[in-house]
């Protein structure tokens, strides 16, 4: 069953089904679950960025009012490798008493050397490393070098202009407003576990807990009806999940363990830093011949994922000569987690800003620079998959640039960098991005139609705030001739079967096809069941239209409810899963920022913002546009405000809060103009990540355009802007 | 505080007794550590204090009297969420920055994380849950729903309450004034643009481009 070619509900603006529950505070998030007899748990964490635990003294715990149980996470002798590393968990009858318990535990440490600044960590050679382990290996490792053949001999041949610039962005934090955590409760004989967890991966969370406690997966239930933000940081139970369930087992009581704000910022997830020196060279027309980058970034203390710098030069992948050198810098802060389009915003910062600097050196308009260097449509892809990003990328970006050029009145507003009168200078800046966003299975979805006309859709997939619940209702309403509010959607419970985690913008393209196919199967079963009871109609003659079942043989219409009543005692039920052909992946996007820079105070205000976003079949236009505007706002925060600031001396983050870790409020944010390039023929493509990618680079370019000097590092704070202006003078 | 006596004629103790913070500060001062506060207290006259054990409190929440026993150190936010199961006000920063815990206290928006439950006794507390009667949504949350001014929704009840407060205090508020009233609230998903649509609609003002 393909997507319907004429669409009544799909692609329109539909208010979220759960909007009223959320807006009036009645929606119960994991943080809001209060179970009878519930205890509260807290985690004691290392204050040192690197230390070995000498001794843990829990003897005073018994005297603390309300104390119930403790669980040691790291034993004496173990190393804590960042400030915030878990040592021990306690639980008590109230949160206040749990806090008292933390203060009653005495932990002695041997402090060990740490490094929490990339520059410090890079200086440490083998034997001096601060990551622990036997021989103190260096904190750095090669991240993989690459060079086009004959780069050194030929890359710069015939180039007339060359720039070298430094660009970068610091470690930032996800800052989920609902912190990580859960409520865990065992049944009486402790054979079954239920958790209400704040997670982007409902079945995965249940399965991991089942493994940890060595009980059958079918006996662990994870419930996530509402979820207060994840952005890539919530894919499993985490340490606190296992600890919470363990304390619940020990005490035979439900236990709640939610991270507090300081914990959320210091252990709940970080986006890796990225810094690089970029050399770009081209001819006087602006054709880039060489892109050379030496960069590094920190994934924190873990050795795992950091920025995938192999994407450089980002978007402009067909630059003839490319040379990359990158280094992974590990330091004593929490390990990185995926964060909304992992790696892409950093790569965009390292590419698109350098591009504008070259455009300025050559003396051409940045739009001209981009049009000249866009990768061509891939001729092979054009033959085999003409609708894909590879096949159409050049056409996509060209048409988007033309659209946004008009939207923002670029040709009138843009000026050569640094021109403009007055103290407050206005600038425009552009950047480009790409993302995957394809769907996959398994995402089995079950639909039940009952004799009362009600339609129930069930799957274990989760709604992170993206509007997934409403997506299910829209697709189902479309097929059954109903309204979205007629549909009951039950999601976010692992008992409904497997589903894919919500990462990589895959949820809508992974589930919408499954819902469509479930509708198809249920419709077939429904029509087969009622045909004999509709004056012995032939199944093939029956079609579902808005509100009615039409018998094309005699043009008889039976209203939906009456038709359903013929089901009697036997509801129809069928399932469907994701299949290829209904979703696609690969999008392009272009963004333009307008900023006003006060050259006396250094304050940058982003005043207007334009986003043109390529996507496939839009299911809910309202939520789709919300996603794009939200991505832009997250990107403006990245550009202007956010930074995890670590103190060199103590190794601790000095702003693990929301006061000195800045996030913009409504008055700090630009007016945003969103243009969706809807391509329904491609099927559904995820949209959560792409719109946040190029925002920071676009703001950076706008600042450069305003003041004529590059502010090297995000966030573009007054201090950094003033320092850059001082360099110019 | 140290020069309170000179400037007002009040002793520190008298001042504390008269202020809302008196009960808690006294309780903590005498129970935890015999600090400056306790040292100043006349030894012969024990002052009635509260805590550290729980004390019975009654709060007027969304038109209902609700009672529980909480320690004096419990914030209004934690009393509502952990002791009275009123969870529309959210705990996010817990330090008076983000506004997710905003409630109306005698019609004034306050951060519930930044006052003690004891101090809120005798005052009328309203949370976002009060802005719906049956299926009938108040105009403010209805605008949030209609214009999709929420994504994950965790900050939303705080924004809704803050916006309600502005419009109650000044039904003729301009969109700029409403925005100013939301300056103490933070959203992470980035719903401000849709929130502006909601604001313009509530202010009966057409939004220009």
């Amino acid at each position: 069953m393909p997507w319907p070619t004429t669409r009544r509900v799909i692609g329109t603006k539909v208010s979220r089904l759960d909007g009223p529950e959320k807006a009036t505070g009645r929606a119960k998030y994991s943080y809001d679950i209060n179970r009878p007899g519930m205890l509260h748990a807290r985690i004691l964490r290392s204050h040192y960025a690197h230390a070995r635990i000498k001794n843990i003294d829990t003897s005073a715990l018994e005297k603390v009012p309300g104390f119930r149980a403790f669980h040691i996470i790291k034993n004496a002798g173990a190393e804590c490798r960042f400030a915030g590393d878990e040592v021990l968990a306690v639980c008590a009858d109230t949160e206040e008493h749990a806090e008292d318990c933390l203060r009653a535990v005495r932990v002695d440490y041997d402090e060990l050397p740490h490094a929490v600044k990339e520059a410090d960590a890079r200086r440490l050679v083998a034997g001096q490393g601060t990551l622990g382990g036997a021989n103190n290996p260096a904190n750095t490792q090669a991240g993989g070098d690459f060079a086009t053949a004959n780069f050194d001999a030929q890359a710069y041949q015939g180039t007339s202009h060359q720039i070298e610039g430094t660009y970068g962005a610091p470690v930032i934090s996800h800052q989920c407003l609902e912190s990580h955590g859960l409520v865990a409760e065992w049944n009486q004989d402790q054979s079954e576990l239920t958790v209400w967890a704040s997670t982007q991966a409902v079945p995965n969370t249940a399965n991991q807990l089942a493994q940890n406690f060595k009980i059958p997966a079918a006996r662990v239930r994870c419930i996530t009806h509402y979820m207060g933000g994840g952005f890539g940081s919530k894919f499993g139970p985490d340490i606190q999940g296992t600890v919470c369930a363990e304390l619940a087992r020990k005490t035979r009581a439900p236990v709640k363990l939610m991270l507090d704000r300081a914990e959320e910022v210091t252990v709940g997830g970080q986006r890796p830093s990225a810094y690089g020196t970029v050399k770009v060279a081209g001819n006087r027309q602006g054709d880039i011949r060489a892109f050379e980058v030496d960069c590094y970034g920190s994934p924190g203390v873990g050795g795992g994922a950091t920025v995938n710098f192999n994407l450089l030069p980002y978007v402009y992948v067909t630059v003839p000569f490319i040379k990359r050198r990158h280094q992974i810098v590990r330091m004593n802060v929490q390990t990185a987690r995926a964060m909304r389009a992992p790696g892409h915003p950093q790569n965009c910062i390292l590419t698109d800003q350098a591009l504008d600097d070259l455009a300025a050196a050559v003396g051409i308009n940045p739009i001209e620079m981009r049009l000249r260097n866009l990768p061509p449509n891939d001729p092979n892809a054009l033959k085999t998959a003409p609708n894909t990003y590879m096949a159409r990328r050049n056409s996509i970006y060209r048409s988007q640039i033309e659209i946004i050029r008009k939207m923002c009145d670029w040709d009138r507003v843009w000026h050569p960098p640094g021109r403009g009168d007055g103290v407050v200078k206005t600038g425009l800046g552009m950047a480009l991005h790409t993302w995957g966003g394809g769907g996959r299975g398994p995402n089995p979805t079950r639909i039940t139609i009952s004799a009362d006309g009600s339609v129930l859709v069930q799957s274990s997939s989760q709604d992170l705030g993206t509007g997934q619940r409403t997506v299910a209702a829209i697709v189902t309403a479309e097929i059954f001739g109903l309204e979205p509010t007629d549909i009951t959607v039950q999601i976010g419970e692992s008992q409904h079967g497997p589903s894919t985690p919500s990462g990589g913008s895959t949820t809508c393209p992974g589930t919408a096809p499954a819902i469509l196919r479930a509708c198809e199967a249920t419709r077939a079963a429904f029509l087969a069941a009622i045909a004999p009871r509709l004056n012995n109609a032939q199944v093939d003659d029956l079609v579902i239209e808005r509100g009615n079942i039409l018998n094309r043989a005699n043009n008889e219409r039976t209203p939906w409810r009456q038709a359903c009543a013929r089901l009697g005692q036997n509801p129809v039920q069928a399932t469907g899963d994701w299949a290829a052909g209904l979703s696609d992946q690969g999008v392009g996007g272009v963004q333009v920022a307008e900023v006003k820079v006060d050259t006396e105070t250094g304050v940058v205000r982003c005043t207007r913002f334009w986003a043109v976003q390529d996507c496939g079949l839009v299911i809910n236009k309202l939520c789709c546009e919300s996603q794009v505007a939200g991505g832009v706002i997250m990107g403006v925060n990245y550009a202007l405000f956010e930074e995890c600031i670590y103190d060199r001396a103590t190794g601790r983050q000095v702003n693990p809060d929301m006061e000195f870790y800045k996030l913009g409020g409504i008055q700090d944010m630009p007016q945003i103009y969103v243009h969706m390039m809807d391509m329904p023929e491609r099927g559904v493509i995820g949209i959560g990540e792409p719109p946040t990618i190029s925002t920071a680079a676009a703001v950076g370019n706008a600042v450069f355009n305003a003041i004529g000097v590059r502010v090297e590092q995000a966030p573009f704070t007054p201090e950094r802007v003033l320092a850059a202006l001082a360099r110019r003078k | 505080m140290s020069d309170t006596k000179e400037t007002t004629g009040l002793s520190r103790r008298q001042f504390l007794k008269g202020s809302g913070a008196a009960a808690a500060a006294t309780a903590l001062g005498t129970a935890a550590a015999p600090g400056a506060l306790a040292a100043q207290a006349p030894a012969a006259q024990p002052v009635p204090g509260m805590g550290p054990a729980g004390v019975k409190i009654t709060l007027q929440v969304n038109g209902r009297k609700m009672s529980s026993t909480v320690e004096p150190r419990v914030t209004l936010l934690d009393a509502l969420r952990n002791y009275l199961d009123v969870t529309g006000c959210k705990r996010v920063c817990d330090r008076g920055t983000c506004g997710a815990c905003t409630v109306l206290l005698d019609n004034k928006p306050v951060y519930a994380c930044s006052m003690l439950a004891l101090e809120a006794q005798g005052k009328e507390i309203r949370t976002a849950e009060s802005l719906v009667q049956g299926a009938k949504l108040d105009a403010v949350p209805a605008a949030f729903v209609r214009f999709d001014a929420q994504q994950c929704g965790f900050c939303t009840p705080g924004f809704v309450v803050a916006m309600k407060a502005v419009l109650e205090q000044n039904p003729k508020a301009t969109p700029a004034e409403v925005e100013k009233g939301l300056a103490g609230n933070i959203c992470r998903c980035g719903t401000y643009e849709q929130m502006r649509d909601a604001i313009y609609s509530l202010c009966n003002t057409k939004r220009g481009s």
Side-chain angles (χ1 to χ4, degrees):
Chain A
M1 182 189 201
W3 288 105
T5 44
T6 56
R7 295 175 289 273
R8 181 178 56 89
V9 192
I10 291 174
T12 62
K13 295 191 169 187
V14 180
S15 296
R16 284 165 204 264
L17 288 190
D18 49 13
E21 294 291 308
K22 288 187 185 180
T24 56
R26 291 172 298 168
K28 290 285 180 185
Y29 296 72
S30 303
Y31 211 146
D32 301 331
I33 299 295
N34 289 321
R35 302 288 299 166
M38 188 175 80
L39 306 176
H40 294 264
R42 293 299 317 269
I43 293 179
L44 184 70
R45 299 171 182 279
S46 168
H47 289 301
Y48 296 107
H50 189 198
R52 184 175 291 106
I53 300 171
K54 219 156 57 172
N55 183 46
I56 301 175
D57 180 3
T58 57
S59 57
L61 276 175
E62 295 291 344
K63 289 180 233 103
V64 179
F67 165 74
R68 293 298 160 81
F70 71 90
H71 172 74
I72 289 184
I73 300 169
K74 283 190 185 63
N75 283 298
E79 276 183 48
C80 295
R81 302 198 303 162
F82 66 99
D85 215 350
E86 298 86 358
V87 176
L88 162 152
V90 294
C91 80
D93 60 345
T94 66
E95 268 196 312
E96 296 77 40
H97 287 151
E99 281 285 339
D100 295 341
C101 289
L102 289 187
R103 282 190 281 269
V105 177
R106 190 185 158 85
V107 182
D108 295 318
Y109 299 90
D110 281 325
E111 214 181 331
L112 298 168
H114 65 253
V116 294
K117 302 271 190 198
E118 288 89 345
D120 296 346
R122 294 183 87 192
R123 278 195 287 270
L124 301 170
V125 297
Q128 300 177 330
T130 65
L131 304 169
N135 301 315
N136 297 321
N139 287 43
T140 52
Q141 60 199 81
D145 296 354
F146 171 86
T148 310
N150 301 319
F151 184 96
D152 291 338
Q154 297 174 7
Y156 294 96
Q157 273 177 15
T159 59
S160 56
H161 293 79
Q162 179 181 328
I163 62 100
E164 182 176 316
T166 306
Y167 314 91
V171 169
I172 68 164
S173 167
H174 296 68
Q175 283 274 24
C176 305
L177 292 200
E178 181 185 33
S179 56
H180 288 60
L182 71 167
V183 173
E185 181 173 334
W186 294 83
N187 68 345
Q188 189 116 43
D189 68 2
Q190 302 208 323
S191 61
E192 291 183 11
L193 171 66
T194 301
V195 296
W196 291 262
S198 187
T199 179
Q200 301 174 230
V202 167
N204 278 15
T205 300
N207 291 343
Q208 284 184 38
L209 285 167
Q211 282 172 21
N212 292 351
F213 288 92
K214 298 186 172 56
I215 56 174
R219 301 240 169 130
V220 181
R221 186 160 66 132
C222 177
I223 301 171
T224 310
H225 290 158
Y226 295 95
M227 207 275 213
F231 313 111
S233 69
K234 292 179 175 169
F235 284 112
D238 278 332
I239 290 176
Q240 73 271 3
T242 304
V243 163
C244 180
E246 172 61 17
L247 288 169
R249 197 187 59 77
K250 267 187 189 168
T251 56
R252 297 186 165 271
V255 175
K256 183 189 274 190
L257 200 175
M258 302 298 297
L259 303 189
D260 71 13
R261 186 50 36 185
E263 293 175 299
E264 180 63 20
V265 178
T266 48
V267 312
Q270 61 110 318
R271 170 187 278 174
S273 57
Y275 300 97
T277 301
V278 184
K279 249 197 256 184
V280 195
N283 62 21
R284 53 189 88 253
Q285 285 76 42
D287 302 307
I288 299 175
R289 181 176 166 89
F291 183 96
E292 189 175 351
V293 57
D294 189 348
C295 56
Y296 61 92
S298 179
V301 74
T306 181
V307 177
N308 176 11
F309 289 114
N310 294 332
L311 297 173
L312 292 169
Y314 187 64
V315 174
Y316 313 92
V317 291
T318 49
V319 166
F321 289 93
I322 298 168
K323 190 174 189 179
R324 289 189 293 261
R325 213 178 136 236
H326 71 267
Q327 187 183 49
I328 298 170
V329 184
R330 291 166 65 191
M331 54 187 192
N332 300 92
V333 308
Q334 65 170 319
T335 298
R337 300 186 184 204
M339 182 169 178
R340 206 166 183 177
H344 283 230
Q346 298 97 320
N347 280 300
C348 189
I349 281 171
L350 292 178
T351 304
D352 252 322
Q353 298 191 111
L355 210 73
D356 268 28
D357 287 352
L358 183 64
V362 174
I364 61 171
N365 192 302
I367 284 192
E368 180 64 19
M369 190 81 196
R370 286 180 172 75
L371 291 174
R372 290 196 86 91
N373 292 287
L374 285 174
N377 291 334
D378 187 309
N380 292 326
L382 270 171
K383 281 180 218 143
T384 55
N387 280 335
T388 56
Y389 171 79
M390 284 299 279
R392 298 168 56 151
R393 58 192 179 185
N394 191 282
S395 315
I396 289 170
Y397 288 123
R398 262 175 206 283
S399 54
Q400 290 182 335
I401 287 172
E402 281 319 306
I403 291 169
I404 212 163
R405 180 178 212 152
K406 291 194 183 74
M407 283 173 79
C408 71
D409 205 2
W410 179 280
D411 295 326
R412 197 182 60 78
V413 179
W414 186 83
H415 53 71
R419 301 276 173 83
D421 304 321
V423 168
V424 178
K425 313 244 184 230
T426 303
L428 276 191
M430 177 181 282
L432 274 51
H433 62 253
T434 179
W435 186 253
R440 61 195 163 87
N443 279 299
T445 303
R446 184 169 55 233
I447 297 181
T448 309
I449 302 175
S450 298
D452 63 356
S454 64
V455 181
L456 173 65
V457 186
Q458 293 170 304
S459 85
S460 65
S461 185
Q462 50 278 319
D463 190 333
L464 278 54
T466 52
Q468 184 54 31
R469 191 176 265 116
T470 314
V471 162
I474 289 171
V475 174
T476 309
E478 179 81 50
I479 302 306
F480 291 106
L482 301 169
E483 298 306 317
T485 45
D486 295 331
I487 313 296
T488 302
V489 182
Q490 292 179 348
I491 57 170
E493 291 192 31
S494 59
Q495 302 302 89
H496 293 318
S499 63
T500 52
S502 289
S505 305
T506 59
T507 310
C508 194
T511 60
I515 297 158
L516 180 70
R517 297 182 79 230
C519 286
E520 181 185 19
T522 316
R523 180 172 65 179
F526 172 68
L527 294 179
I530 62 165
R533 300 165 201 172
L534 286 176
N535 300 323
N536 276 322
Q538 297 297 305
V539 171
D540 291 345
D541 289 333
L542 296 180
V543 290
I544 298 176
E545 54 178 31
R546 187 173 186 184
N548 296 302
I549 313 300
L550 169 68
N551 183 343
R552 282 179 301 192
N554 56 13
N555 270 335
E556 250 181 37
R557 287 185 162 84
T558 311
W560 171 259
R561 274 170 178 271
Q562 280 182 34
C564 291
R566 314 286 164 92
L567 291 171
Q569 297 299 310
N570 303 304
V572 264
Q573 189 175 76
T575 61
D577 202 345
W578 178 87
L582 296 166
S583 62
D584 200 358
Q585 61 174 324
V587 293
V590 176
Q591 301 191 344
V592 170
E594 177 196 74
V595 299
K596 293 194 188 298
V597 184
D598 187 323
T599 53
E600 287 183 349
T601 64
V603 170
V604 178
R605 289 190 61 81
C606 186
T607 42
R608 291 189 292 171
F609 203 97
W610 297 266
V612 177
Q613 183 57 50
D614 170 26
C615 63
L617 173 72
V618 172
I619 302 287
N620 187 352
K621 183 113 180 180
L622 188 64
C623 292
C624 207
E625 290 181 357
S626 293
Q627 280 290 306
V628 176
V632 167
I633 286 170
M634 193 172 264
V636 172
N637 276 320
Y638 192 35
L640 297 182
F641 305 123
E642 291 186 60
E643 178 166 11
C644 290
I645 303 168
Y646 300 103
D647 175 48
R648 178 176 274 127
T650 61
R652 297 178 65 182
Q653 185 176 346
V654 298
N655 59 345
D657 50 41
M658 296 181 78
E659 190 177 7
F660 298 104
Y661 186 106
K662 298 289 184 192
L663 292 172
I666 189 166
Q667 293 177 305
D668 301 310
M669 287 301 158
Q671 184 155 356
I672 301 165
Y673 305 89
V674 176
H675 179 93
M676 304 300 300
M677 291 186 67
D678 196 352
M679 285 194 277
E681 67 277 12
R682 298 185 62 189
V684 180
I685 306 174
I687 207 67
E689 275 149 308
T692 202
I693 295 171
S694 57
T695 311
V699 172
N701 282 338
V703 172
F704 172 66
N705 183 244
I707 61 176
V709 55
R710 177 63 61 183
V711 184
E712 293 181 343
Q713 288 180 20
F716 310 121
T717 57
E719 181 191 12
R720 289 181 180 141
V721 170
L722 291 176
L725 284 167
R727 270 205 313 278
R728 185 185 63 173
K729 280 164 192 164
Chain B
M1 278 302 251
S2 60
D3 56 5
T4 301
K5 195 163 187 176
E6 288 98 59
T7 52
T8 65
L10 279 173
S11 74
R12 182 187 170 95
R13 171 144 301 275
Q14 284 169 322
F15 175 76
L16 281 173
K17 273 175 82 176
S19 81
T26 309
L28 290 178
T30 51
L37 187 59
Q40 282 176 20
Q45 291 186 352
V47 176
M50 286 191 235
V55 291
K56 187 151 187 256
I57 59 160
T58 300
L59 297 176
Q60 179 82 13
V61 186
N62 298 331
R64 279 176 58 203
K65 275 201 187 327
M66 303 178 101
S67 296
S68 189
T69 301
V70 304
E71 292 179 40
R73 60 176 157 169
V74 172
T75 62
L76 173 58
L77 176 65
D78 291 354
L80 289 169
R81 292 182 53 83
N82 294 344
Y83 293 85
L84 302 173
D85 200 29
V86 179
T87 55
C89 41
K90 307 298 185 192
R91 186 158 80 187
V92 175
C93 77
D94 208 21
R95 291 292 184 276
T97 313
C98 76
C101 64
T102 305
V103 300
L104 295 174
L105 195 77
D106 285 344
N107 304 320
K108 218 180 109 194
V110 300
Y111 290 152
C113 73
S114 299
M115 78 182 296
L116 297 172
L118 286 171
E119 296 176 277
Q121 293 192 100
K123 296 179 192 290
E124 194 195 325
I125 300 157
R126 279 191 292 154
T127 69
E129 284 102 323
S130 70
L131 299 176
V132 58
Q133 301 295 329
K136 174 86 178 129
L137 281 183
D138 176 88
V140 172
F144 272 75
V145 175
R146 180 174 162 214
F147 294 99
D148 206 38
Q150 52 182 344
Q151 289 185 32
C152 87
F154 210 68
C155 71
T156 310
F159 272 99
V160 164
V161 170
M163 200 185 287
K164 182 75 187 165
V166 178
L167 292 169
E168 273 187 355
Q169 280 163 23
N170 178 11
K172 290 182 181 163
T174 63
E177 286 165 345
V178 177
E179 273 204 23
K180 197 176 170 199
L182 301 180
N185 293 66
I186 290 172
C187 166
R188 183 47 154 163
C189 298
T191 58
Y192 301 126
E193 183 60 24
Q194 284 70 23
M195 226 175 270
R196 289 188 187 126
D197 290 335
I199 292 169
Y200 276 81
S201 159
L202 287 164
C203 295
N204 290 313
T205 308
K206 197 170 153 37
R207 202 175 163 194
S209 55

